[in-house]
Amino acid sequence: MKKIFKIALNASIILVYIVIIAGAVVRMTGSGMGCPDWPKCFGYMIPPTESSQLEWQPNHEYEKGQVIIRKEALQVVKNDFRTGLVYNNNNWEAYIKHDYAIFNPIHTWVEYINRLATVLFGIPILILVFTSLFLFKENKSFFFLSIATLFSVGFEAWLGKIVVDTNLQPLRITLHVLFVFFIVAFLLWLKSLENKKKGALNDSFLFKIGIGVILFTLIQVIIGTQVRQYVDLQMSHFDYRTQKDWLSSPPAIFYIHRSFSIIILLINVFWLYRFKQNFKRYGIIKWIGILLGLEILTGIILYYLDFPFLSQPIHLLLGSLLFSMQFYIVLLLSKSKTINTI
């Protein structure tokens, strides 16, 4: 079971970053409402590919919960039935959670693939929980952290539903983006237990600085989601082909986001310098330095090169990887004496 647990944990860590990329692509392409309902997509397990599939059709079998677009509104089938030659309103009910009723096949399938990635991610999480039961006597932390991860994934999925039901309400999107970092933290916490056999790098000062570094990173992520929300509004106003206009007159939050990156750079440099002096762990320092540099570089590219394709998902992915490395160091610096290993 130890081997299966480790495989499931490694798979979960890889898949969580795939989920982050998929979610970022959804935002980059403006596909958040590609599936206007949840968990199905237009009431189907496999979404439609053509608009004609969402038009009312005579002599057609419909199943309960399926959706059509009629008079620029979503109509939901009440019960299984077969249509006649004339539309009968008694067989349908209006979708009342929001009034978004647009079908774009690209947006629909981008959002659908994002949901599939989340479902795939849930499989190794379930395996983690199951196998951790057999490791309970060896180390209870494996079980409790696996359960925390499972509930976090469930909560994240529920947040995704709320985001759709509220037609991409900004605060919900911010929470949806932010909470995935907590899932990453739980997975890395599990991973760190494997390395406790090497002993924790106990240093209370660097540990406290590390907590501050993580908080600053999360604050920057929150500010970044607000900038992203402004860009989303610009996308809907100017459309996707005119990226140069999205930040032609940046709001104050953009300048706060840009300036705050300097603070984050300085505090990370100080933290890593002290870490290098105390522990000589050059590999970790090198990777955080690379991620910091690339994160700043992609931010510059986003602004000055007018949002090149995939630059936004890469920017978010680099931010999540940076958080991961920072959190992992904090775990190594903690005073926990948990020595049990998988």
Side-chain angles (χ1 to χ4, degrees):
M1 282 298 174
K2 291 181 181 180
K3 183 176 181 181
I4 296 175
F5 184 90
K6 291 179 68 172
I7 292 173
L9 178 57
N10 291 332
S12 298
I13 292 173
I14 293 171
L15 286 172
V16 73
Y17 294 114
I18 293 176
V19 170
I20 289 172
I21 293 172
V25 171
V26 168
R27 291 209 75 183
M28 178 194 74
T29 56
S31 302
M33 292 302 291
C35 294
D37 50 336
W38 191 98
K40 294 183 178 181
C41 189
F42 289 100
Y44 294 88
M45 295 301 297
I46 299 177
T49 56
E50 299 178 355
S51 59
S52 59
Q53 295 174 260
L54 294 173
E55 297 174 355
W56 181 85
Q57 300 176 36
N59 299 318
H60 183 78
E61 296 284 348
Y62 284 99
E63 297 179 6
K64 182 179 179 180
Q66 290 181 341
V67 176
I68 63 169
I69 299 176
R70 183 173 174 81
K71 296 181 179 179
E72 299 183 349
L74 297 179
Q75 297 292 328
V76 185
V77 179
K78 291 182 179 180
N79 295 291
D80 296 357
F81 81 107
R82 182 180 181 85
T83 58
L85 297 177
V86 180
Y87 178 82
N88 184 349
N89 196 53
N90 292 328
N91 295 316
W92 306 84
E93 58 186 1
Y95 192 83
I96 60 174
K97 292 183 178 179
H98 56 74
D99 59 359
Y100 187 90
I102 299 173
F103 174 69
N104 180 311
I106 295 177
H107 290 175
T108 293
W109 278 86
V110 167
E111 169 61 14
Y112 181 68
I113 291 172
N114 174 49
R115 295 185 184 185
L116 287 180
T118 304
V119 171
L120 182 62
F121 172 54
I123 295 174
I125 299 298
L126 291 172
I127 296 174
L128 274 180
V129 174
F130 177 74
T131 53
S132 68
L133 289 170
F134 295 89
L135 304 173
F136 190 80
K137 290 183 179 180
E138 183 176 343
N139 192 332
K140 297 178 178 63
S141 298
F142 294 145
F143 174 72
F144 291 116
L145 284 172
S146 297
I147 288 292
T149 305
L150 178 63
F151 276 98
S152 297
V153 172
F155 184 73
E156 178 73 355
W158 177 78
L159 279 176
K161 175 186 184 311
I162 298 301
V163 167
V164 173
D165 288 348
T166 57
N167 196 1
L168 309 183
Q169 202 276 337
L171 178 60
R172 270 91 172 167
I173 294 176
T174 299
L175 291 174
H176 190 53
V177 172
L178 186 63
F179 205 79
V180 75
F181 283 77
F182 289 93
I183 297 174
V184 170
F186 284 131
L187 290 172
L188 292 177
W189 198 342
L190 277 168
K191 187 66 177 176
S192 72
L193 296 179
E194 183 181 0
N195 294 332
K196 286 295 181 180
K197 58 189 175 184
K198 301 176 182 177
L201 306 175
N202 294 330
D203 189 310
S204 59
F205 176 71
L206 285 179
F207 176 77
K208 292 174 183 177
I209 295 296
I211 294 295
V213 168
I214 288 174
L215 290 175
F216 273 53
T217 297
L218 292 177
I219 290 171
Q220 182 72 328
V221 170
I222 293 171
I223 297 172
T225 61
Q226 303 309 302
V227 175
R228 177 66 230 185
Q229 182 62 31
Y230 174 80
V231 171
D232 287 346
L233 293 174
Q234 296 296 93
M235 285 174 60
S236 63
H237 180 72
F238 289 107
D239 79 45
Y240 190 77
R241 292 166 294 181
T242 55
Q243 294 100 314
K244 62 182 179 63
D245 296 321
W246 292 352
L247 282 177
S248 56
S249 300
I253 194 70
F254 167 78
Y255 295 106
I256 294 173
H257 184 62
R258 186 171 67 179
S259 300
F260 200 67
S261 64
I262 299 173
I263 298 174
I264 289 178
L265 175 62
L266 293 176
I267 192 174
N268 271 276
V269 168
F270 171 75
W271 187 48
L272 295 176
Y273 175 74
R274 291 295 299 268
F275 187 85
K276 174 185 174 183
Q277 283 187 319
N278 290 6
F279 300 111
K280 311 298 182 183
R281 300 289 286 270
Y282 299 106
I284 294 176
I285 295 171
K286 178 184 71 175
W287 279 110
I288 290 186
I290 291 172
L291 290 170
L292 269 171
L294 290 175
E295 181 74 346
I296 293 172
L297 177 62
T298 53
I300 293 171
I301 289 173
L302 281 168
Y303 180 64
Y304 288 103
L305 297 183
D306 302 324
F307 299 84
F309 184 68
L310 290 182
S311 56
Q312 296 172 64
I314 291 173
H315 190 61
L316 180 58
L317 176 63
L318 289 170
S320 64
L321 290 172
L322 177 61
F323 167 83
S324 302
M325 294 295 294
Q326 293 167 340
F327 186 77
Y328 197 74
I329 289 181
V330 167
L331 289 172
L332 294 178
L333 290 168
S334 70
K335 293 184 177 181
S336 171
K337 299 298 184 181
T338 303
I339 304 299
N340 293 349
T341 60
I342 52 179

mmCIF file of all heavy atoms in Angstrom, residues 269-304:
data_model
loop_
_atom_site.group_PDB
_atom_site.id
_atom_site.type_symbol
_atom_site.label_atom_id
_atom_site.label_comp_id
_atom_site.label_asym_id
_atom_site.label_seq_id
_atom_site.Cartn_x
_atom_site.Cartn_y
_atom_site.Cartn_z
ATOM 1 N N VAL A 269 14.342 37.445 -1.984
ATOM 2 C CA VAL A 269 15.804 37.500 -2.071
ATOM 3 C C VAL A 269 16.411 37.468 -0.675
ATOM 4 O O VAL A 269 17.380 36.730 -0.416
ATOM 5 C CB VAL A 269 16.251 38.765 -2.834
ATOM 6 C CG1 VAL A 269 17.757 38.982 -2.677
ATOM 7 C CG2 VAL A 269 15.901 38.643 -4.316
ATOM 8 N N PHE A 270 15.837 38.238 0.249
ATOM 9 C CA PHE A 270 16.348 38.245 1.623
ATOM 10 C C PHE A 270 16.188 36.875 2.267
ATOM 11 O O PHE A 270 17.118 36.354 2.892
ATOM 12 C CB PHE A 270 15.598 39.297 2.454
ATOM 13 C CG PHE A 270 15.898 39.237 3.926
ATOM 14 C CD1 PHE A 270 17.101 39.716 4.410
ATOM 15 C CD2 PHE A 270 14.985 38.691 4.822
ATOM 16 C CE1 PHE A 270 17.400 39.656 5.776
ATOM 17 C CE2 PHE A 270 15.274 38.622 6.173
ATOM 18 C CZ PHE A 270 16.482 39.100 6.649
ATOM 19 N N TRP A 271 15.028 36.280 2.104
ATOM 20 C CA TRP A 271 14.733 34.964 2.695
ATOM 21 C C TRP A 271 15.672 33.885 2.151
ATOM 22 O O TRP A 271 16.248 33.097 2.909
ATOM 23 C CB TRP A 271 13.276 34.620 2.395
ATOM 24 C CG TRP A 271 12.749 33.391 3.065
ATOM 25 C CD1 TRP A 271 12.865 33.040 4.368
ATOM 26 C CD2 TRP A 271 11.973 32.356 2.446
ATOM 27 N NE1 TRP A 271 12.209 31.859 4.621
ATOM 28 C CE2 TRP A 271 11.654 31.410 3.454
ATOM 29 C CE3 TRP A 271 11.491 32.132 1.152
ATOM 30 C CZ2 TRP A 271 10.889 30.266 3.208
ATOM 31 C CZ3 TRP A 271 10.735 30.999 0.903
ATOM 32 C CH2 TRP A 271 10.442 30.085 1.917
ATOM 33 N N LEU A 272 15.842 33.879 0.844
ATOM 34 C CA LEU A 272 16.686 32.854 0.219
ATOM 35 C C LEU A 272 18.162 33.059 0.551
ATOM 36 O O LEU A 272 18.920 32.096 0.684
ATOM 37 C CB LEU A 272 16.470 32.863 -1.297
ATOM 38 C CG LEU A 272 15.068 32.456 -1.769
ATOM 39 C CD1 LEU A 272 14.954 32.608 -3.270
ATOM 40 C CD2 LEU A 272 14.754 31.026 -1.347
ATOM 41 N N TYR A 273 18.565 34.321 0.697
ATOM 42 C CA TYR A 273 19.955 34.605 1.073
ATOM 43 C C TYR A 273 20.263 34.047 2.453
ATOM 44 O O TYR A 273 21.298 33.394 2.658
ATOM 45 C CB TYR A 273 20.212 36.109 1.037
ATOM 46 C CG TYR A 273 21.593 36.501 1.524
ATOM 47 C CD1 TYR A 273 22.720 36.280 0.728
ATOM 48 C CD2 TYR A 273 21.765 37.080 2.787
ATOM 49 C CE1 TYR A 273 23.984 36.627 1.170
ATOM 50 C CE2 TYR A 273 23.028 37.425 3.236
ATOM 51 C CZ TYR A 273 24.129 37.196 2.430
ATOM 52 O OH TYR A 273 25.388 37.533 2.878
ATOM 53 N N ARG A 274 19.347 34.265 3.416
ATOM 54 C CA ARG A 274 19.534 33.734 4.756
ATOM 55 C C ARG A 274 19.456 32.208 4.760
ATOM 56 O O ARG A 274 20.191 31.534 5.485
ATOM 57 C CB ARG A 274 18.474 34.320 5.700
ATOM 58 C CG ARG A 274 18.647 35.806 5.993
ATOM 59 C CD ARG A 274 19.952 36.058 6.753
ATOM 60 N NE ARG A 274 19.957 35.350 8.038
ATOM 61 C CZ ARG A 274 19.538 35.893 9.187
ATOM 62 N NH1 ARG A 274 19.073 37.144 9.200
ATOM 63 N NH2 ARG A 274 19.580 35.195 10.309
ATOM 64 N N PHE A 275 18.562 31.672 3.925
ATOM 65 C CA PHE A 275 18.427 30.220 3.824
ATOM 66 C C PHE A 275 19.718 29.607 3.286
ATOM 67 O O PHE A 275 20.195 28.575 3.783
ATOM 68 C CB PHE A 275 17.252 29.880 2.905
ATOM 69 C CG PHE A 275 16.908 28.419 2.856
ATOM 70 C CD1 PHE A 275 16.078 27.847 3.802
ATOM 71 C CD2 PHE A 275 17.420 27.599 1.855
ATOM 72 C CE1 PHE A 275 15.763 26.495 3.772
ATOM 73 C CE2 PHE A 275 17.119 26.247 1.805
ATOM 74 C CZ PHE A 275 16.277 25.701 2.773
ATOM 75 N N LYS A 276 20.296 30.243 2.294
ATOM 76 C CA LYS A 276 21.556 29.765 1.715
ATOM 77 C C LYS A 276 22.678 29.792 2.746
ATOM 78 O O LYS A 276 23.477 28.846 2.856
ATOM 79 C CB LYS A 276 21.924 30.625 0.512
ATOM 80 C CG LYS A 276 23.290 30.320 -0.087
ATOM 81 C CD LYS A 276 23.610 31.301 -1.197
ATOM 82 C CE LYS A 276 25.042 31.089 -1.701
ATOM 83 N NZ LYS A 276 25.401 32.088 -2.729
ATOM 84 N N GLN A 277 22.739 30.868 3.529
ATOM 85 C CA GLN A 277 23.774 30.979 4.541
ATOM 86 C C GLN A 277 23.665 29.875 5.597
ATOM 87 O O GLN A 277 24.669 29.342 6.059
ATOM 88 C CB GLN A 277 23.688 32.346 5.236
ATOM 89 C CG GLN A 277 24.252 33.506 4.430
ATOM 90 C CD GLN A 277 24.284 34.783 5.242
ATOM 91 O OE1 GLN A 277 23.344 35.088 5.980
ATOM 92 N NE2 GLN A 277 25.366 35.536 5.125
ATOM 93 N N ASN A 278 22.441 29.545 5.970
ATOM 94 C CA ASN A 278 22.221 28.613 7.075
ATOM 95 C C ASN A 278 22.287 27.142 6.664
ATOM 96 O O ASN A 278 22.736 26.297 7.439
ATOM 97 C CB ASN A 278 20.880 28.887 7.742
ATOM 98 C CG ASN A 278 20.874 30.189 8.512
ATOM 99 O OD1 ASN A 278 21.830 30.947 8.466
ATOM 100 N ND2 ASN A 278 19.799 30.457 9.225
ATOM 101 N N PHE A 279 21.824 26.833 5.448
ATOM 102 C CA PHE A 279 21.634 25.424 5.109
ATOM 103 C C PHE A 279 22.321 24.963 3.832
ATOM 104 O O PHE A 279 22.351 23.767 3.545
ATOM 105 C CB PHE A 279 20.131 25.110 5.014
ATOM 106 C CG PHE A 279 19.389 25.378 6.290
ATOM 107 C CD1 PHE A 279 18.485 26.421 6.375
ATOM 108 C CD2 PHE A 279 19.604 24.601 7.410
ATOM 109 C CE1 PHE A 279 17.807 26.674 7.549
ATOM 110 C CE2 PHE A 279 18.929 24.843 8.591
ATOM 111 C CZ PHE A 279 18.026 25.889 8.664
ATOM 112 N N LYS A 280 22.817 25.878 3.015
ATOM 113 C CA LYS A 280 23.535 25.505 1.796
ATOM 114 C C LYS A 280 22.705 24.634 0.855
ATOM 115 O O LYS A 280 23.245 23.765 0.161
ATOM 116 C CB LYS A 280 24.839 24.765 2.148
ATOM 117 C CG LYS A 280 25.699 25.444 3.187
ATOM 118 C CD LYS A 280 26.189 26.810 2.738
ATOM 119 C CE LYS A 280 27.093 27.431 3.797
ATOM 120 N NZ LYS A 280 27.531 28.794 3.421
ATOM 121 N N ARG A 281 21.389 24.860 0.821
ATOM 122 C CA ARG A 281 20.509 24.057 -0.063
ATOM 123 C C ARG A 281 20.351 24.807 -1.383
ATOM 124 O O ARG A 281 19.364 25.495 -1.638
ATOM 125 C CB ARG A 281 19.159 23.822 0.606
ATOM 126 C CG ARG A 281 19.229 23.074 1.917
ATOM 127 C CD ARG A 281 19.590 21.606 1.737
ATOM 128 N NE ARG A 281 18.458 20.857 1.203
ATOM 129 C CZ ARG A 281 17.549 20.262 1.970
ATOM 130 N NH1 ARG A 281 17.643 20.317 3.290
ATOM 131 N NH2 ARG A 281 16.548 19.598 1.425
ATOM 132 N N TYR A 282 21.343 24.697 -2.256
ATOM 133 C CA TYR A 282 21.399 25.518 -3.465
ATOM 134 C C TYR A 282 20.338 25.141 -4.502
ATOM 135 O O TYR A 282 19.907 25.981 -5.282
ATOM 136 C CB TYR A 282 22.802 25.424 -4.085
ATOM 137 C CG TYR A 282 23.892 25.922 -3.180
ATOM 138 C CD1 TYR A 282 24.765 25.034 -2.554
ATOM 139 C CD2 TYR A 282 24.046 27.282 -2.920
ATOM 140 C CE1 TYR A 282 25.769 25.494 -1.707
ATOM 141 C CE2 TYR A 282 25.044 27.753 -2.080
ATOM 142 C CZ TYR A 282 25.888 26.854 -1.472
ATOM 143 O OH TYR A 282 26.865 27.301 -0.629
ATOM 144 N N GLY A 283 19.935 23.850 -4.533
ATOM 145 C CA GLY A 283 18.951 23.425 -5.526
ATOM 146 C C GLY A 283 17.627 24.144 -5.358
ATOM 147 O O GLY A 283 17.060 24.672 -6.327
ATOM 148 N N ILE A 284 17.122 24.180 -4.127
ATOM 149 C CA ILE A 284 15.847 24.854 -3.854
ATOM 150 C C ILE A 284 15.945 26.340 -4.167
ATOM 151 O O ILE A 284 15.053 26.927 -4.781
ATOM 152 C CB ILE A 284 15.434 24.636 -2.380
ATOM 153 C CG1 ILE A 284 15.136 23.162 -2.121
ATOM 154 C CG2 ILE A 284 14.219 25.492 -2.030
ATOM 155 C CD1 ILE A 284 14.809 22.843 -0.680
ATOM 156 N N ILE A 285 17.043 26.947 -3.745
ATOM 157 C CA ILE A 285 17.240 28.382 -3.982
ATOM 158 C C ILE A 285 17.254 28.681 -5.475
ATOM 159 O O ILE A 285 16.649 29.655 -5.944
ATOM 160 C CB ILE A 285 18.556 28.846 -3.326
ATOM 161 C CG1 ILE A 285 18.451 28.713 -1.807
ATOM 162 C CG2 ILE A 285 18.875 30.286 -3.708
ATOM 163 C CD1 ILE A 285 19.760 28.931 -1.080
ATOM 164 N N LYS A 286 17.943 27.826 -6.223
ATOM 165 C CA LYS A 286 18.029 28.031 -7.675
ATOM 166 C C LYS A 286 16.655 27.997 -8.324
ATOM 167 O O LYS A 286 16.319 28.865 -9.133
ATOM 168 C CB LYS A 286 18.922 26.950 -8.286
ATOM 169 C CG LYS A 286 19.039 27.034 -9.802
ATOM 170 C CD LYS A 286 19.851 25.882 -10.345
ATOM 171 C CE LYS A 286 19.088 24.573 -10.240
ATOM 172 N NZ LYS A 286 19.807 23.438 -10.880
ATOM 173 N N TRP A 287 15.837 27.010 -7.937
ATOM 174 C CA TRP A 287 14.536 26.867 -8.568
ATOM 175 C C TRP A 287 13.588 28.011 -8.224
ATOM 176 O O TRP A 287 12.839 28.490 -9.087
ATOM 177 C CB TRP A 287 13.916 25.520 -8.197
ATOM 178 C CG TRP A 287 14.451 24.401 -9.027
ATOM 179 C CD1 TRP A 287 15.269 23.393 -8.628
ATOM 180 C CD2 TRP A 287 14.229 24.212 -10.430
ATOM 181 N NE1 TRP A 287 15.584 22.575 -9.684
ATOM 182 C CE2 TRP A 287 14.949 23.049 -10.809
ATOM 183 C CE3 TRP A 287 13.508 24.903 -11.405
ATOM 184 C CZ2 TRP A 287 14.964 22.568 -12.111
ATOM 185 C CZ3 TRP A 287 13.522 24.419 -12.700
ATOM 186 C CH2 TRP A 287 14.238 23.266 -13.047
ATOM 187 N N ILE A 288 13.626 28.461 -6.980
ATOM 188 C CA ILE A 288 12.777 29.603 -6.620
ATOM 189 C C ILE A 288 13.231 30.851 -7.371
ATOM 190 O O ILE A 288 12.419 31.649 -7.839
ATOM 191 C CB ILE A 288 12.789 29.843 -5.094
ATOM 192 C CG1 ILE A 288 12.045 28.715 -4.386
ATOM 193 C CG2 ILE A 288 12.150 31.186 -4.748
ATOM 194 C CD1 ILE A 288 11.872 28.922 -2.901
ATOM 195 N N GLY A 289 14.541 31.019 -7.499
ATOM 196 C CA GLY A 289 15.060 32.160 -8.251
ATOM 197 C C GLY A 289 14.613 32.130 -9.707
ATOM 198 O O GLY A 289 14.208 33.155 -10.277
ATOM 199 N N ILE A 290 14.666 30.944 -10.310
ATOM 200 C CA ILE A 290 14.223 30.800 -11.701
ATOM 201 C C ILE A 290 12.739 31.111 -11.836
ATOM 202 O O ILE A 290 12.307 31.848 -12.739
ATOM 203 C CB ILE A 290 14.523 29.374 -12.213
ATOM 204 C CG1 ILE A 290 16.030 29.166 -12.366
ATOM 205 C CG2 ILE A 290 13.817 29.118 -13.556
ATOM 206 C CD1 ILE A 290 16.435 27.740 -12.685
ATOM 207 N N LEU A 291 11.927 30.564 -10.918
ATOM 208 C CA LEU A 291 10.479 30.798 -10.968
ATOM 209 C C LEU A 291 10.139 32.260 -10.761
ATOM 210 O O LEU A 291 9.246 32.801 -11.428
ATOM 211 C CB LEU A 291 9.777 29.926 -9.924
ATOM 212 C CG LEU A 291 9.768 28.423 -10.208
ATOM 213 C CD1 LEU A 291 9.262 27.649 -8.997
ATOM 214 C CD2 LEU A 291 8.904 28.115 -11.433
ATOM 215 N N LEU A 292 10.834 32.914 -9.827
ATOM 216 C CA LEU A 292 10.616 34.347 -9.610
ATOM 217 C C LEU A 292 10.915 35.145 -10.877
ATOM 218 O O LEU A 292 10.142 36.017 -11.285
ATOM 219 C CB LEU A 292 11.501 34.845 -8.470
ATOM 220 C CG LEU A 292 10.935 34.820 -7.056
ATOM 221 C CD1 LEU A 292 12.028 35.140 -6.048
ATOM 222 C CD2 LEU A 292 9.770 35.800 -6.928
ATOM 223 N N GLY A 293 12.065 34.827 -11.491
ATOM 224 C CA GLY A 293 12.446 35.537 -12.709
ATOM 225 C C GLY A 293 11.456 35.319 -13.839
ATOM 226 O O GLY A 293 11.069 36.277 -14.533
ATOM 227 N N LEU A 294 11.026 34.069 -14.023
ATOM 228 C CA LEU A 294 10.081 33.768 -15.100
ATOM 229 C C LEU A 294 8.710 34.386 -14.835
ATOM 230 O O LEU A 294 8.028 34.836 -15.764
ATOM 231 C CB LEU A 294 9.953 32.250 -15.262
ATOM 232 C CG LEU A 294 11.167 31.533 -15.840
ATOM 233 C CD1 LEU A 294 10.939 30.023 -15.836
ATOM 234 C CD2 LEU A 294 11.473 32.017 -17.255
ATOM 235 N N GLU A 295 8.306 34.400 -13.565
ATOM 236 C CA GLU A 295 7.012 35.007 -13.218
ATOM 237 C C GLU A 295 7.002 36.500 -13.548
ATOM 238 O O GLU A 295 6.039 37.028 -14.117
ATOM 239 C CB GLU A 295 6.715 34.785 -11.732
ATOM 240 C CG GLU A 295 5.396 35.351 -11.256
ATOM 241 C CD GLU A 295 4.196 34.551 -11.719
ATOM 242 O OE1 GLU A 295 4.336 33.701 -12.627
ATOM 243 O OE2 GLU A 295 3.101 34.797 -11.191
ATOM 244 N N ILE A 296 8.074 37.177 -13.191
ATOM 245 C CA ILE A 296 8.177 38.609 -13.509
ATOM 246 C C ILE A 296 8.264 38.814 -15.017
ATOM 247 O O ILE A 296 7.631 39.717 -15.577
ATOM 248 C CB ILE A 296 9.409 39.219 -12.806
ATOM 249 C CG1 ILE A 296 9.196 39.208 -11.288
ATOM 250 C CG2 ILE A 296 9.666 40.643 -13.296
ATOM 251 C CD1 ILE A 296 10.412 39.608 -10.487
ATOM 252 N N LEU A 297 9.029 37.954 -15.695
ATOM 253 C CA LEU A 297 9.179 38.068 -17.156
ATOM 254 C C LEU A 297 7.843 37.893 -17.863
ATOM 255 O O LEU A 297 7.504 38.665 -18.773
ATOM 256 C CB LEU A 297 10.186 37.030 -17.654
ATOM 257 C CG LEU A 297 10.400 36.981 -19.171
ATOM 258 C CD1 LEU A 297 10.955 38.306 -19.678
ATOM 259 C CD2 LEU A 297 11.330 35.826 -19.541
ATOM 260 N N THR A 298 7.058 36.882 -17.468
ATOM 261 C CA THR A 298 5.766 36.672 -18.130
ATOM 262 C C THR A 298 4.801 37.817 -17.844
ATOM 263 O O THR A 298 3.966 38.162 -18.686
ATOM 264 C CB THR A 298 5.129 35.346 -17.686
ATOM 265 O OG1 THR A 298 5.053 35.287 -16.254
ATOM 266 C CG2 THR A 298 5.921 34.165 -18.203
ATOM 267 N N GLY A 299 4.919 38.428 -16.645
ATOM 268 C CA GLY A 299 4.099 39.604 -16.354
ATOM 269 C C GLY A 299 4.434 40.752 -17.297
ATOM 270 O O GLY A 299 3.539 41.454 -17.788
ATOM 271 N N ILE A 300 5.735 40.940 -17.558
ATOM 272 C CA ILE A 300 6.168 41.985 -18.497
ATOM 273 C C ILE A 300 5.674 41.675 -19.905
ATOM 274 O O ILE A 300 5.194 42.552 -20.628
ATOM 275 C CB ILE A 300 7.709 42.104 -18.461
ATOM 276 C CG1 ILE A 300 8.170 42.629 -17.103
ATOM 277 C CG2 ILE A 300 8.202 43.009 -19.594
ATOM 278 C CD1 ILE A 300 9.671 42.579 -16.901
ATOM 279 N N ILE A 301 5.769 40.400 -20.294
ATOM 280 C CA ILE A 301 5.315 39.987 -21.625
ATOM 281 C C ILE A 301 3.818 40.224 -21.784
ATOM 282 O O ILE A 301 3.353 40.707 -22.826
ATOM 283 C CB ILE A 301 5.665 38.501 -21.861
ATOM 284 C CG1 ILE A 301 7.177 38.339 -22.028
ATOM 285 C CG2 ILE A 301 4.935 37.953 -23.090
ATOM 286 C CD1 ILE A 301 7.636 36.893 -22.087
ATOM 287 N N LEU A 302 3.048 39.890 -20.759
ATOM 288 C CA LEU A 302 1.596 40.090 -20.812
ATOM 289 C C LEU A 302 1.259 41.543 -21.119
ATOM 290 O O LEU A 302 0.372 41.825 -21.948
ATOM 291 C CB LEU A 302 0.966 39.677 -19.480
ATOM 292 C CG LEU A 302 0.750 38.192 -19.243
ATOM 293 C CD1 LEU A 302 0.406 37.916 -17.779
ATOM 294 C CD2 LEU A 302 -0.364 37.666 -20.132
ATOM 295 N N TYR A 303 1.940 42.452 -20.462
ATOM 296 C CA TYR A 303 1.600 43.874 -20.614
ATOM 297 C C TYR A 303 2.166 44.474 -21.898
ATOM 298 O O TYR A 303 1.438 45.111 -22.665
ATOM 299 C CB TYR A 303 2.115 44.651 -19.403
ATOM 300 C CG TYR A 303 1.817 46.128 -19.475
ATOM 301 C CD1 TYR A 303 0.499 46.590 -19.477
ATOM 302 C CD2 TYR A 303 2.846 47.064 -19.547
ATOM 303 C CE1 TYR A 303 0.221 47.948 -19.539
ATOM 304 C CE2 TYR A 303 2.581 48.422 -19.621
ATOM 305 C CZ TYR A 303 1.265 48.863 -19.615
ATOM 306 O OH TYR A 303 0.988 50.203 -19.695
ATOM 307 N N TYR A 304 3.448 44.234 -22.146
ATOM 308 C CA TYR A 304 4.100 44.930 -23.257
ATOM 309 C C TYR A 304 3.922 44.233 -24.602
ATOM 310 O O TYR A 304 4.068 44.875 -25.654
ATOM 311 C CB TYR A 304 5.597 45.104 -22.961
ATOM 312 C CG TYR A 304 5.863 46.137 -21.887
ATOM 313 C CD1 TYR A 304 6.187 45.755 -20.597
ATOM 314 C CD2 TYR A 304 5.769 47.503 -22.166
ATOM 315 C CE1 TYR A 304 6.422 46.694 -19.595
ATOM 316 C CE2 TYR A 304 6.010 48.455 -21.185
ATOM 317 C CZ TYR A 304 6.323 48.052 -19.903
ATOM 318 O OH TYR A 304 6.545 48.990 -18.921
#
